Amino acid sequence: MNTLDPYTLFMIVLTVLLIVYMYLETRKRPTRTEYVTRELLVCEGCGFQVERDFEPGDFIGLVKGKCPRCGRELKIKGIYSVDKSKILKAS
């Protein structure tokens, strides 16, 4: 009768557990959060606010058009990153 000594049996069990652990760890990869840079435009007159995609060259204080309500200037008041999944797109 051929039997395994306790040390060999322990090493086999340990190896199998290590392989199972490594397999389970590689399956649960964290999802990467994607961010988008946005800018907040505010009207100096009526306080109208709109959030748009950032364009290269934009900076805080830049005039980016006219207000649709009162016709005064829309200025960039903030530039920030937002989680891509939290942006509502107009359809």
Side-chain angles (χ1 to χ4, degrees):
M1 192 153 69
N2 190 3
T3 62
L4 297 173
D5 63 77
Y7 179 76
T8 307
L9 186 61
F10 175 74
M11 292 306 290
I12 292 171
V13 170
L14 188 64
T15 304
V16 169
L17 287 175
L18 181 64
I19 290 170
V20 169
Y21 172 76
M22 289 174 60
Y23 173 73
L24 292 175
E25 281 297 310
T26 57
R27 286 189 57 206
K28 59 177 182 181
R29 290 194 175 144
T31 57
R32 283 189 115 169
T33 306
E34 292 187 38
Y35 293 95
V36 177
T37 305
R38 305 283 284 177
E39 57 191 28
L40 179 67
L41 295 132
V42 179
C43 175
E44 302 261 319
C46 65
F48 174 77
Q49 296 183 0
V50 63
E51 184 181 89
R52 294 187 185 159
D53 287 331
F54 173 78
E55 296 175 3
D58 288 352
F59 55 91
I60 294 177
L62 178 68
V63 176
K64 289 280 286 199
K66 300 283 182 189
C67 176
R69 287 189 191 163
C70 67
R72 292 185 67 186
E73 297 177 336
L74 282 175
K75 287 187 178 180
I76 298 176
K77 289 293 181 182
I79 298 173
Y80 47 90
S81 294
V82 179
D83 185 355
K84 193 174 186 178
S85 65
K86 294 184 180 180
I87 296 175
L88 299 175
K89 291 288 181 184
S91 26

PDB file of all heavy atoms in Angstrom, residues 3-28:
ATOM      1  N   THR A   3       1.237   5.157   0.609  1.00  0.00           N
ATOM      2  CA  THR A   3       0.603   6.279   1.303  1.00  0.00           C
ATOM      3  C   THR A   3       1.509   7.498   1.228  1.00  0.00           C
ATOM      4  O   THR A   3       2.729   7.383   1.111  1.00  0.00           O
ATOM      5  CB  THR A   3       0.347   5.939   2.785  1.00  0.00           C
ATOM      6  OG1 THR A   3       1.596   5.709   3.415  1.00  0.00           O
ATOM      7  CG2 THR A   3      -0.570   4.754   2.914  1.00  0.00           C
ATOM      8  N   LEU A   4       0.888   8.663   1.310  1.00  0.00           N
ATOM      9  CA  LEU A   4       1.639   9.915   1.293  1.00  0.00           C
ATOM     10  C   LEU A   4       1.974  10.316   2.720  1.00  0.00           C
ATOM     11  O   LEU A   4       1.137  10.200   3.622  1.00  0.00           O
ATOM     12  CB  LEU A   4       0.820  11.013   0.628  1.00  0.00           C
ATOM     13  CG  LEU A   4       0.459  10.815  -0.846  1.00  0.00           C
ATOM     14  CD1 LEU A   4      -0.492  11.896  -1.286  1.00  0.00           C
ATOM     15  CD2 LEU A   4       1.708  10.826  -1.691  1.00  0.00           C
ATOM     16  N   ASP A   5       3.167  10.832   2.907  1.00  0.00           N
ATOM     17  CA  ASP A   5       3.508  11.316   4.240  1.00  0.00           C
ATOM     18  C   ASP A   5       2.770  12.636   4.485  1.00  0.00           C
ATOM     19  O   ASP A   5       2.330  13.308   3.550  1.00  0.00           O
ATOM     20  CB  ASP A   5       5.034  11.462   4.390  1.00  0.00           C
ATOM     21  CG  ASP A   5       5.602  12.483   3.444  1.00  0.00           C
ATOM     22  OD1 ASP A   5       5.462  13.689   3.711  1.00  0.00           O
ATOM     23  OD2 ASP A   5       6.194  12.044   2.428  1.00  0.00           O
ATOM     24  N   PRO A   6       2.578  13.056   5.722  1.00  0.00           N
ATOM     25  CA  PRO A   6       1.798  14.263   6.054  1.00  0.00           C
ATOM     26  C   PRO A   6       2.358  15.542   5.408  1.00  0.00           C
ATOM     27  O   PRO A   6       1.597  16.416   5.001  1.00  0.00           O
ATOM     28  CB  PRO A   6       1.868  14.348   7.578  1.00  0.00           C
ATOM     29  CG  PRO A   6       2.221  12.993   8.035  1.00  0.00           C
ATOM     30  CD  PRO A   6       2.981  12.333   6.927  1.00  0.00           C
ATOM     31  N   TYR A   7       3.664  15.659   5.302  1.00  0.00           N
ATOM     32  CA  TYR A   7       4.265  16.851   4.698  1.00  0.00           C
ATOM     33  C   TYR A   7       3.875  16.976   3.224  1.00  0.00           C
ATOM     34  O   TYR A   7       3.486  18.044   2.760  1.00  0.00           O
ATOM     35  CB  TYR A   7       5.790  16.806   4.852  1.00  0.00           C
ATOM     36  CG  TYR A   7       6.474  17.995   4.218  1.00  0.00           C
ATOM     37  CD1 TYR A   7       6.459  19.244   4.837  1.00  0.00           C
ATOM     38  CD2 TYR A   7       7.124  17.862   2.995  1.00  0.00           C
ATOM     39  CE1 TYR A   7       7.062  20.332   4.245  1.00  0.00           C
ATOM     40  CE2 TYR A   7       7.737  18.947   2.397  1.00  0.00           C
ATOM     41  CZ  TYR A   7       7.709  20.183   3.031  1.00  0.00           C
ATOM     42  OH  TYR A   7       8.298  21.265   2.438  1.00  0.00           O
ATOM     43  N   THR A   8       3.946  15.904   2.457  1.00  0.00           N
ATOM     44  CA  THR A   8       3.586  15.925   1.040  1.00  0.00           C
ATOM     45  C   THR A   8       2.102  16.226   0.868  1.00  0.00           C
ATOM     46  O   THR A   8       1.722  17.011   0.003  1.00  0.00           O
ATOM     47  CB  THR A   8       3.932  14.577   0.375  1.00  0.00           C
ATOM     48  OG1 THR A   8       5.304  14.259   0.638  1.00  0.00           O
ATOM     49  CG2 THR A   8       3.681  14.620  -1.107  1.00  0.00           C
ATOM     50  N   LEU A   9       1.263  15.625   1.689  1.00  0.00           N
ATOM     51  CA  LEU A   9      -0.178  15.889   1.622  1.00  0.00           C
ATOM     52  C   LEU A   9      -0.471  17.361   1.930  1.00  0.00           C
ATOM     53  O   LEU A   9      -1.272  18.003   1.243  1.00  0.00           O
ATOM     54  CB  LEU A   9      -0.904  14.973   2.602  1.00  0.00           C
ATOM     55  CG  LEU A   9      -2.413  15.026   2.562  1.00  0.00           C
ATOM     56  CD1 LEU A   9      -2.957  14.622   1.214  1.00  0.00           C
ATOM     57  CD2 LEU A   9      -2.967  14.149   3.665  1.00  0.00           C
ATOM     58  N   PHE A  10       0.203  17.901   2.926  1.00  0.00           N
ATOM     59  CA  PHE A  10       0.030  19.316   3.282  1.00  0.00           C
ATOM     60  C   PHE A  10       0.439  20.219   2.124  1.00  0.00           C
ATOM     61  O   PHE A  10      -0.256  21.192   1.800  1.00  0.00           O
ATOM     62  CB  PHE A  10       0.851  19.637   4.537  1.00  0.00           C
ATOM     63  CG  PHE A  10       0.828  21.083   4.907  1.00  0.00           C
ATOM     64  CD1 PHE A  10      -0.289  21.657   5.483  1.00  0.00           C
ATOM     65  CD2 PHE A  10       1.944  21.886   4.671  1.00  0.00           C
ATOM     66  CE1 PHE A  10      -0.309  23.006   5.816  1.00  0.00           C
ATOM     67  CE2 PHE A  10       1.938  23.222   4.995  1.00  0.00           C
ATOM     68  CZ  PHE A  10       0.800  23.784   5.573  1.00  0.00           C
ATOM     69  N   MET A  11       1.535  19.937   1.477  1.00  0.00           N
ATOM     70  CA  MET A  11       2.003  20.749   0.353  1.00  0.00           C
ATOM     71  C   MET A  11       1.041  20.666  -0.830  1.00  0.00           C
ATOM     72  O   MET A  11       0.808  21.671  -1.517  1.00  0.00           O
ATOM     73  CB  MET A  11       3.419  20.314  -0.069  1.00  0.00           C
ATOM     74  CG  MET A  11       4.484  20.631   0.965  1.00  0.00           C
ATOM     75  SD  MET A  11       4.524  22.355   1.466  1.00  0.00           S
ATOM     76  CE  MET A  11       5.141  23.113   0.001  1.00  0.00           C
ATOM     77  N   ILE A  12       0.468  19.512  -1.090  1.00  0.00           N
ATOM     78  CA  ILE A  12      -0.500  19.371  -2.184  1.00  0.00           C
ATOM     79  C   ILE A  12      -1.746  20.194  -1.884  1.00  0.00           C
ATOM     80  O   ILE A  12      -2.241  20.934  -2.742  1.00  0.00           O
ATOM     81  CB  ILE A  12      -0.851  17.883  -2.422  1.00  0.00           C
ATOM     82  CG1 ILE A  12       0.357  17.143  -2.986  1.00  0.00           C
ATOM     83  CG2 ILE A  12      -2.060  17.755  -3.336  1.00  0.00           C
ATOM     84  CD1 ILE A  12       0.191  15.644  -3.059  1.00  0.00           C
ATOM     85  N   VAL A  13      -2.268  20.110  -0.678  1.00  0.00           N
ATOM     86  CA  VAL A  13      -3.454  20.886  -0.287  1.00  0.00           C
ATOM     87  C   VAL A  13      -3.151  22.371  -0.357  1.00  0.00           C
ATOM     88  O   VAL A  13      -3.954  23.175  -0.862  1.00  0.00           O
ATOM     89  CB  VAL A  13      -3.934  20.472   1.117  1.00  0.00           C
ATOM     90  CG1 VAL A  13      -4.998  21.429   1.643  1.00  0.00           C
ATOM     91  CG2 VAL A  13      -4.442  19.044   1.112  1.00  0.00           C
ATOM     92  N   LEU A  14      -2.013  22.781   0.122  1.00  0.00           N
ATOM     93  CA  LEU A  14      -1.625  24.193   0.095  1.00  0.00           C
ATOM     94  C   LEU A  14      -1.507  24.705  -1.344  1.00  0.00           C
ATOM     95  O   LEU A  14      -1.958  25.809  -1.662  1.00  0.00           O
ATOM     96  CB  LEU A  14      -0.298  24.378   0.840  1.00  0.00           C
ATOM     97  CG  LEU A  14       0.146  25.813   1.074  1.00  0.00           C
ATOM     98  CD1 LEU A  14      -0.828  26.530   1.981  1.00  0.00           C
ATOM     99  CD2 LEU A  14       1.536  25.825   1.664  1.00  0.00           C
ATOM    100  N   THR A  15      -0.941  23.907  -2.220  1.00  0.00           N
ATOM    101  CA  THR A  15      -0.806  24.290  -3.630  1.00  0.00           C
ATOM    102  C   THR A  15      -2.169  24.440  -4.292  1.00  0.00           C
ATOM    103  O   THR A  15      -2.422  25.402  -5.023  1.00  0.00           O
ATOM    104  CB  THR A  15       0.052  23.259  -4.387  1.00  0.00           C
ATOM    105  OG1 THR A  15       1.309  23.121  -3.736  1.00  0.00           O
ATOM    106  CG2 THR A  15       0.251  23.679  -5.824  1.00  0.00           C
ATOM    107  N   VAL A  16      -3.072  23.501  -4.029  1.00  0.00           N
ATOM    108  CA  VAL A  16      -4.420  23.578  -4.600  1.00  0.00           C
ATOM    109  C   VAL A  16      -5.138  24.815  -4.087  1.00  0.00           C
ATOM    110  O   VAL A  16      -5.792  25.547  -4.858  1.00  0.00           O
ATOM    111  CB  VAL A  16      -5.217  22.293  -4.295  1.00  0.00           C
ATOM    112  CG1 VAL A  16      -6.687  22.461  -4.636  1.00  0.00           C
ATOM    113  CG2 VAL A  16      -4.628  21.109  -5.034  1.00  0.00           C
ATOM    114  N   LEU A  17      -5.040  25.108  -2.795  1.00  0.00           N
ATOM    115  CA  LEU A  17      -5.673  26.310  -2.235  1.00  0.00           C
ATOM    116  C   LEU A  17      -5.094  27.590  -2.838  1.00  0.00           C
ATOM    117  O   LEU A  17      -5.828  28.539  -3.127  1.00  0.00           O
ATOM    118  CB  LEU A  17      -5.513  26.324  -0.719  1.00  0.00           C
ATOM    119  CG  LEU A  17      -6.368  25.318   0.051  1.00  0.00           C
ATOM    120  CD1 LEU A  17      -6.019  25.352   1.531  1.00  0.00           C
ATOM    121  CD2 LEU A  17      -7.833  25.579  -0.157  1.00  0.00           C
ATOM    122  N   LEU A  18      -3.796  27.614  -3.048  1.00  0.00           N
ATOM    123  CA  LEU A  18      -3.160  28.782  -3.654  1.00  0.00           C
ATOM    124  C   LEU A  18      -3.641  28.989  -5.085  1.00  0.00           C
ATOM    125  O   LEU A  18      -3.930  30.129  -5.500  1.00  0.00           O
ATOM    126  CB  LEU A  18      -1.640  28.635  -3.621  1.00  0.00           C
ATOM    127  CG  LEU A  18      -0.834  29.795  -4.189  1.00  0.00           C
ATOM    128  CD1 LEU A  18      -1.053  31.046  -3.349  1.00  0.00           C
ATOM    129  CD2 LEU A  18       0.631  29.440  -4.253  1.00  0.00           C
ATOM    130  N   ILE A  19      -3.771  27.932  -5.848  1.00  0.00           N
ATOM    131  CA  ILE A  19      -4.256  28.032  -7.233  1.00  0.00           C
ATOM    132  C   ILE A  19      -5.696  28.532  -7.259  1.00  0.00           C
ATOM    133  O   ILE A  19      -6.045  29.417  -8.051  1.00  0.00           O
ATOM    134  CB  ILE A  19      -4.108  26.677  -7.951  1.00  0.00           C
ATOM    135  CG1 ILE A  19      -2.631  26.373  -8.187  1.00  0.00           C
ATOM    136  CG2 ILE A  19      -4.881  26.669  -9.266  1.00  0.00           C
ATOM    137  CD1 ILE A  19      -2.349  24.970  -8.674  1.00  0.00           C
ATOM    138  N   VAL A  20      -6.537  28.007  -6.374  1.00  0.00           N
ATOM    139  CA  VAL A  20      -7.937  28.454  -6.315  1.00  0.00           C
ATOM    140  C   VAL A  20      -8.006  29.931  -5.916  1.00  0.00           C
ATOM    141  O   VAL A  20      -8.757  30.712  -6.509  1.00  0.00           O
ATOM    142  CB  VAL A  20      -8.747  27.564  -5.343  1.00  0.00           C
ATOM    143  CG1 VAL A  20     -10.121  28.169  -5.066  1.00  0.00           C
ATOM    144  CG2 VAL A  20      -8.873  26.156  -5.903  1.00  0.00           C
ATOM    145  N   TYR A  21      -7.222  30.328  -4.937  1.00  0.00           N
ATOM    146  CA  TYR A  21      -7.203  31.723  -4.495  1.00  0.00           C
ATOM    147  C   TYR A  21      -6.766  32.662  -5.629  1.00  0.00           C
ATOM    148  O   TYR A  21      -7.385  33.699  -5.864  1.00  0.00           O
ATOM    149  CB  TYR A  21      -6.265  31.877  -3.297  1.00  0.00           C
ATOM    150  CG  TYR A  21      -6.040  33.309  -2.893  1.00  0.00           C
ATOM    151  CD1 TYR A  21      -7.010  34.021  -2.201  1.00  0.00           C
ATOM    152  CD2 TYR A  21      -4.852  33.962  -3.231  1.00  0.00           C
ATOM    153  CE1 TYR A  21      -6.813  35.337  -1.851  1.00  0.00           C
ATOM    154  CE2 TYR A  21      -4.636  35.271  -2.871  1.00  0.00           C
ATOM    155  CZ  TYR A  21      -5.619  35.954  -2.190  1.00  0.00           C
ATOM    156  OH  TYR A  21      -5.418  37.264  -1.849  1.00  0.00           O
ATOM    157  N   MET A  22      -5.713  32.297  -6.335  1.00  0.00           N
ATOM    158  CA  MET A  22      -5.227  33.142  -7.434  1.00  0.00           C
ATOM    159  C   MET A  22      -6.266  33.234  -8.550  1.00  0.00           C
ATOM    160  O   MET A  22      -6.464  34.297  -9.139  1.00  0.00           O
ATOM    161  CB  MET A  22      -3.897  32.601  -7.955  1.00  0.00           C
ATOM    162  CG  MET A  22      -2.759  32.812  -6.977  1.00  0.00           C
ATOM    163  SD  MET A  22      -1.215  32.047  -7.472  1.00  0.00           S
ATOM    164  CE  MET A  22      -0.876  32.836  -9.010  1.00  0.00           C
ATOM    165  N   TYR A  23      -6.948  32.154  -8.839  1.00  0.00           N
ATOM    166  CA  TYR A  23      -7.988  32.171  -9.865  1.00  0.00           C
ATOM    167  C   TYR A  23      -9.128  33.107  -9.469  1.00  0.00           C
ATOM    168  O   TYR A  23      -9.596  33.920 -10.274  1.00  0.00           O
ATOM    169  CB  TYR A  23      -8.525  30.750 -10.084  1.00  0.00           C
ATOM    170  CG  TYR A  23      -9.718  30.704 -10.998  1.00  0.00           C
ATOM    171  CD1 TYR A  23      -9.576  30.910 -12.360  1.00  0.00           C
ATOM    172  CD2 TYR A  23     -10.989  30.472 -10.498  1.00  0.00           C
ATOM    173  CE1 TYR A  23     -10.669  30.883 -13.207  1.00  0.00           C
ATOM    174  CE2 TYR A  23     -12.086  30.439 -11.328  1.00  0.00           C
ATOM    175  CZ  TYR A  23     -11.923  30.645 -12.681  1.00  0.00           C
ATOM    176  OH  TYR A  23     -13.008  30.627 -13.502  1.00  0.00           O
ATOM    177  N   LEU A  24      -9.569  33.029  -8.224  1.00  0.00           N
ATOM    178  CA  LEU A  24     -10.663  33.895  -7.764  1.00  0.00           C
ATOM    179  C   LEU A  24     -10.248  35.365  -7.724  1.00  0.00           C
ATOM    180  O   LEU A  24     -11.056  36.249  -8.017  1.00  0.00           O
ATOM    181  CB  LEU A  24     -11.148  33.441  -6.396  1.00  0.00           C
ATOM    182  CG  LEU A  24     -11.850  32.081  -6.365  1.00  0.00           C
ATOM    183  CD1 LEU A  24     -12.171  31.694  -4.925  1.00  0.00           C
ATOM    184  CD2 LEU A  24     -13.093  32.088  -7.216  1.00  0.00           C
ATOM    185  N   GLU A  25      -9.018  35.656  -7.375  1.00  0.00           N
ATOM    186  CA  GLU A  25      -8.541  37.038  -7.333  1.00  0.00           C
ATOM    187  C   GLU A  25      -8.454  37.663  -8.726  1.00  0.00           C
ATOM    188  O   GLU A  25      -8.714  38.852  -8.888  1.00  0.00           O
ATOM    189  CB  GLU A  25      -7.172  37.125  -6.657  1.00  0.00           C
ATOM    190  CG  GLU A  25      -7.231  37.075  -5.163  1.00  0.00           C
ATOM    191  CD  GLU A  25      -7.977  38.245  -4.567  1.00  0.00           C
ATOM    192  OE1 GLU A  25      -7.685  39.403  -4.931  1.00  0.00           O
ATOM    193  OE2 GLU A  25      -8.865  37.994  -3.738  1.00  0.00           O
ATOM    194  N   THR A  26      -8.091  36.893  -9.713  1.00  0.00           N
ATOM    195  CA  THR A  26      -7.979  37.458 -11.060  1.00  0.00           C
ATOM    196  C   THR A  26      -9.352  37.686 -11.682  1.00  0.00           C
ATOM    197  O   THR A  26      -9.482  38.502 -12.587  1.00  0.00           O
ATOM    198  CB  THR A  26      -7.161  36.543 -11.980  1.00  0.00           C
ATOM    199  OG1 THR A  26      -7.756  35.255 -12.029  1.00  0.00           O
ATOM    200  CG2 THR A  26      -5.727  36.448 -11.512  1.00  0.00           C
ATOM    201  N   ARG A  27     -10.368  37.017 -11.223  1.00  0.00           N
ATOM    202  CA  ARG A  27     -11.718  37.182 -11.782  1.00  0.00           C
ATOM    203  C   ARG A  27     -12.383  38.461 -11.317  1.00  0.00           C
ATOM    204  O   ARG A  27     -13.180  39.042 -12.036  1.00  0.00           O
ATOM    205  CB  ARG A  27     -12.589  35.988 -11.396  1.00  0.00           C
ATOM    206  CG  ARG A  27     -12.224  34.758 -12.181  1.00  0.00           C
ATOM    207  CD  ARG A  27     -13.201  33.656 -11.984  1.00  0.00           C
ATOM    208  NE  ARG A  27     -14.534  34.092 -12.330  1.00  0.00           N
ATOM    209  CZ  ARG A  27     -15.636  33.574 -11.829  1.00  0.00           C
ATOM    210  NH1 ARG A  27     -15.573  32.604 -10.966  1.00  0.00           N
ATOM    211  NH2 ARG A  27     -16.811  34.006 -12.189  1.00  0.00           N
ATOM    212  N   LYS A  28     -12.117  38.923 -10.122  1.00  0.00           N
ATOM    213  CA  LYS A  28     -12.806  40.110  -9.595  1.00  0.00           C
ATOM    214  C   LYS A  28     -11.935  41.358  -9.706  1.00  0.00           C
ATOM    215  O   LYS A  28     -11.434  41.884  -8.734  1.00  0.00           O
ATOM    216  CB  LYS A  28     -13.269  39.886  -8.161  1.00  0.00           C
ATOM    217  CG  LYS A  28     -12.188  39.557  -7.169  1.00  0.00           C
ATOM    218  CD  LYS A  28     -12.781  39.423  -5.785  1.00  0.00           C
ATOM    219  CE  LYS A  28     -11.683  39.136  -4.785  1.00  0.00           C
ATOM    220  NZ  LYS A  28     -12.192  38.982  -3.453  1.00  0.00           N
TER     221      LYS A  28
END
